[in-house]
Amino acid sequence: MSSRRRRRRLHSRADFHAAKRIVIKAGTSVVSCDEGFPSLVRLANIVESAAKLARAGKEVLIVSSGAVGIGRRKLHNQFMARQSLTDVLRKGASGIPSIVDPHTRISYNSACAAAGQMGLVSLYETMFSQFGLSTSQLLVTAFDFTSTERKNNLEYVLSELLDLGVIPIINENDAVTGNMGYETCGEFFADNDSLAGLVADLADAQLMILLTDVDGVYSCNPKLPSARLIDVLEKHHVVDIGEKSLYGRGGMKSKINAMFQAADNGVDAVVIASGKKQTIIDRIIAGEHVGTVAFAPDEDAEAVEDPLSPPGSGRSTPDSKLDAITMAQAARTEGRKLKLVSTDVRNAILNRIASELELKQEEILEVNKLDLAAAAASNLSLQLLNRLKLTPTKVSSCVNFLDHNGVGMA
């Protein structure tokens, strides 16, 4: 986006008031009450705080759950309206399909999400309009973040909406993905926590707030007397992840995973807090010690200032025998550094990468053959093998993209 990485970093809670772009994720347990109805009080509280931020010149994006509960109620009413009085009296509660039973534990279904989406967004639109603010709806799939074209389109839309002061309301396009819940394959999101992290990274947000039904991350089961709320969470902490809510897909584990993934991708700070407490967003922005926060790891300032230094100049270089996981982590770290440098330096780096790819194409293809052989021996699926396989055309396409679209990647 146009303002990407050109802003003050957030290093502590006291810096939160300076955040320019903020992603707020409202979980199902926050926007819905225990009976599955939308919680108008909590929704209004979120909207009021978000509106206050927007009117103060900040850019706010909302990733919202809650469509399933609204949709289940809607489908339940539709089901009951189609039944005759005789059917209702004869079958009773046992005749209600689980998909439309608002009291069932099996709480997630794409049809319910599709039926409830309009009602959920209508609530947001109506509430924000009271503050003179407009909203927009974006329903996305995981493919929108993996396809370069779709990702660029999504980034453009978000940028234009935010520039106009429109608040995006974002959710997964369940009707398209067919997500029946709790899946973790690449075709759709495991939950809206991971979606919020992807949105925060794409939008270059400084702060992400995950609103849930607990005060934050505890050192152990919150029901135990010894449990204490963790103020700043780090990866080495061992915590009790607790149970999932009745209606949501995620849980504390998914929130912690999303928290660290977003922080690793360059989101300055991520807060997990209770969305059931009034003014919680205001208190977070004010720097109060509420909820649990994780900060993005500090980068090596020297490496950022001199990213073009030649080999042997004192900068460490990856060992050629590093395992794939270590190399992937190193690539992600360097990718974050790339986002922090100026446009001219970034373009120079991308041009150099393109030149190296072109010069070492034969060597890259030979090594890729070895990788393919090892992958085939490990019984990797044919689909993944095809994705792993490199060809001269693929390498050339990558070189051309770096040469002509480097700035668009940044």
Side-chain angles (χ1 to χ4, degrees):
M1 292 186 175
S2 58
S3 59
R4 197 165 183 83
R5 303 300 169 188
R6 297 182 181 276
R7 32 72 162 174
R8 173 181 172 183
R9 290 291 303 274
L10 309 180
H11 298 286
S12 68
R13 288 181 181 268
D15 295 330
F16 287 176
H17 72 279
K20 174 65 176 176
R21 188 168 289 165
I22 303 165
V23 171
I24 300 172
K25 185 266 178 175
T28 302
S29 58
V30 174
V31 302
S32 301
C33 59
D34 293 340
E35 293 78 15
F37 293 104
S39 175
L40 299 181
V41 172
R42 292 195 289 266
L43 272 172
N45 185 45
I46 294 171
V47 168
E48 184 173 354
S49 295
K52 186 184 300 183
L53 293 172
R55 292 168 71 89
K58 300 184 185 300
E59 298 169 336
V60 181
L61 305 90
I62 295 179
V63 176
S64 180
S65 304
V68 173
I70 295 175
R72 173 162 282 109
R73 284 285 175 182
K74 186 175 182 179
L75 294 182
H76 176 265
N77 293 340
Q78 181 70 14
F79 170 79
M80 297 301 292
R82 291 170 61 91
Q83 303 300 300
S84 68
L85 179 60
T86 302
D87 291 334
V88 174
L89 293 175
R90 184 176 68 252
K91 298 178 181 179
S94 61
I96 302 176
S98 61
I99 182 179
V100 299
D101 185 354
H103 304 292
T104 180
R105 177 75 190 185
I106 306 172
S107 59
Y108 192 85
N109 187 282
S110 299
C112 293
Q117 196 62 237
M118 292 184 66
L120 177 66
V121 175
S122 294
L123 285 174
Y124 277 113
E125 174 69 18
T126 299
M127 290 182 178
F128 272 112
S129 68
Q130 303 307 306
F131 297 92
L133 296 171
S134 297
T135 61
S136 62
Q137 181 185 38
L138 284 87
L139 297 177
V140 298
T141 69
F143 186 54
D144 297 322
F145 293 89
T146 57
S147 164
T148 300
E149 181 180 3
R150 286 173 176 256
K151 187 175 181 180
N152 288 341
N153 289 340
L154 180 57
E155 186 175 13
Y156 168 79
V157 170
L158 290 176
S159 179
E160 291 296 307
L161 292 173
L162 293 174
D163 285 347
L164 292 171
V166 177
I167 297 179
I169 310 297
I170 306 167
N171 200 353
E172 180 185 359
N173 193 343
D174 303 283
V176 172
T177 63
N179 188 354
M180 297 298 289
Y182 305 104
E183 300 292 342
T184 56
C185 72
E187 296 179 3
F188 37 72
F189 312 107
D191 47 65
N192 273 349
D193 299 310
S194 56
L195 170 57
L198 290 172
V199 170
D201 181 34
L202 181 67
D204 190 32
Q206 293 168 276
L207 178 63
M208 181 169 80
I209 301 174
L210 300 177
L211 297 179
T212 183
D213 56 355
V214 294
D215 289 334
V217 182
Y218 284 85
S219 57
C220 59
N221 191 325
K223 297 180 181 179
L224 298 177
S226 60
R228 64 178 182 84
L229 183 65
I230 299 174
D231 184 53
V232 179
L233 185 66
E234 299 181 1
K235 288 185 177 180
H236 66 269
H237 286 143
V238 178
V239 298
D240 188 305
I241 62 175
E243 298 179 353
K244 296 175 181 177
S245 64
L246 174 62
Y247 294 100
R249 275 188 287 162
M252 188 53 67
K253 181 178 180 181
S254 74
K255 289 170 179 57
I256 293 174
N257 289 341
M259 168 184 270
F260 284 123
Q261 184 177 5
D264 286 343
N265 285 338
V267 180
D268 292 349
V270 183
V271 179
I272 297 176
S274 174
K276 293 188 174 183
K277 292 188 173 181
Q278 291 192 6
T279 70
I280 187 66
I281 297 174
D282 299 344
R283 296 173 63 190
I284 292 171
I285 299 299
E288 292 188 32
H289 286 263
V290 292
T292 301
V293 63
F295 291 99
D298 291 332
E299 299 293 351
D300 184 351
E302 182 179 354
V304 173
E305 293 173 1
D306 188 22
L308 295 178
S309 56
S313 62
R315 295 185 64 205
S316 60
T317 55
D319 184 79
S320 60
K321 295 183 179 180
L322 289 176
D323 62 87
I325 294 178
T326 303
M327 293 177 70
Q329 292 173 339
R332 184 172 61 181
T333 298
E334 297 305 314
R336 294 200 304 269
K337 293 178 182 178
L338 188 62
K339 295 178 180 179
L340 297 174
V341 300
S342 66
T343 300
D344 290 340
V345 173
R346 185 187 302 117
N347 290 344
I349 294 173
L350 295 175
N351 288 334
R352 176 178 291 184
I353 293 174
S355 298
E356 291 296 320
L357 285 174
E358 196 168 25
L359 289 172
K360 298 182 178 181
Q361 176 173 305
E362 292 185 6
E363 180 181 345
I364 292 172
L365 293 176
E366 286 299 320
V367 173
N368 181 246
K369 290 180 181 178
L370 298 177
D371 291 337
L372 286 171
S378 65
N379 296 321
L380 193 69
S381 68
L382 180 60
Q383 181 182 8
L384 293 179
L385 281 173
N386 290 334
R387 293 178 62 181
L388 179 63
K389 183 178 180 180
L390 291 178
T391 64
T393 301
K394 286 185 179 180
V395 176
S396 297
S397 297
C398 186
V399 170
N400 292 333
F401 180 80
L402 289 171
D403 279 336
H404 299 104
N405 298 291
V407 177
M409 289 179 58

